[in-house]
Amino acid sequence: MTRLLILIALICSTSVWALPQESRVPGGIALLRLPTLPEGARLTLKGNPVWTLPSEKGEQIAIIGIPLDTPAGELALQIESSTGNQQIDVTVDAKDYPEQRITLPTQKHVTPSEENLARYAREAREQLAIYQSFNTTGSNWPTFIIPVRGPYSSPFGLRRFFNNEPRAPHAGLDIAAPAGLAVQAPADGVVAQTGDYFFNGRTVMIDHGNGLISMLCHLSKISVQKDQQIKRGDVIGKVGKTGRATGPHLHWTVSLNNARVDPILLLPAAP
Ligand SMILES: [Zn+2]
């Protein structure tokens, strides 16, 4: 009997129960059930490989990150295979993210110097290369935890203005926490990069596999190294306010098929 219960628990933990929450909006995630998929089929969205998982019913489930700049309407998923190519349209609903106005004490991070802009461009390229990577690992969607406990100080998707100047939308979740508090890996993975970036400050990027990447920013201390294997809950650094930050907090970005998505969708749904 105990063995049977263990077996049931194993089946449950490796099946669709662990999928992220679905939200077909810009910055959301679409779960697309595909009953028949040709052998060796390759799914892409805007040229980025899309993670597909087998379901308990023998179908495939494509887990699609929807880019934040996607207009409401149809989003084209490409399926390439030896028997030909096809396109599936996914309907994306509109979402009006609220505005946020932030006052920074200096203009350094609002209107960066040419030198800092060049630095930022280099750093953005480095991060983009990681977001575009697709390392096939494991066959299950990983279980996520919140990397640090604290109130959500800025939700995902805010349309941002710094010192009244429009800037890129908030592509992550901010969690307010005291400086020095341990930051945990939100899920298993490999440290894809660490760095001290102009906007993001001290940062750790974690590759959870199959195009799913986390980035944890503004750390005061980094305690992992590039290429290190880590488990969910491992301490990767400490909360800080390095980079463009008005106070100590953790910024957590999640990227799926090179689309920044709302990290809330990966956490267990509120009861
Ligand atoms: Zn943030």
Side-chain angles (χ1 to χ4, degrees), residues 164-263:
N164 288 324
E165 294 184 36
R167 289 293 178 265
H170 190 227
L173 169 69
D174 286 355
I175 306 165
L181 199 66
V183 176
Q184 294 175 293
D188 294 358
V190 177
V191 177
Q193 189 59 277
T194 65
D196 190 354
Y197 300 119
F198 180 67
F199 284 123
N200 296 332
R202 291 200 186 102
T203 293
V204 174
M205 295 183 81
I206 304 171
D207 185 351
H208 304 296
N210 308 296
L212 178 62
I213 317 280
S214 277
M215 178 169 75
L216 302 143
C217 304
H218 309 307
L219 305 173
S220 59
K221 181 176 180 283
I222 292 173
S223 45
V224 288
Q225 290 179 342
K226 191 179 175 186
D227 297 329
Q228 191 178 329
Q229 293 269 354
I230 46 173
K231 289 278 174 202
R232 179 179 68 242
D234 284 354
V235 174
I236 58 104
K238 288 181 174 174
V239 172
K241 56 169 189 173
T242 53
R244 185 177 63 186
T246 52
H249 72 280
L250 180 73
H251 171 104
W252 177 26
T253 286
V254 172
S255 182
L256 180 61
N257 52 260
N258 191 26
R260 264 43 99 207
V261 297
D262 190 346

Side-chain angles (χ1 to χ4, degrees), residues 24-76:
R24 292 188 180 189
V25 298
I29 293 174
L31 303 176
L32 200 65
R33 287 168 189 274
L34 303 162
T36 53
L37 208 52
E39 191 72 22
R42 184 172 175 269
L43 277 68
T44 56
L45 186 81
K46 298 184 172 185
N48 296 289
V50 167
W51 191 355
T52 57
L53 279 173
S55 80
E56 78 282 13
K57 290 177 187 158
E59 56 192 0
Q60 296 286 319
I61 302 177
I63 309 167
I64 308 159
I66 304 170
L68 194 47
D69 60 1
T70 305
E74 303 301 316
L75 187 62

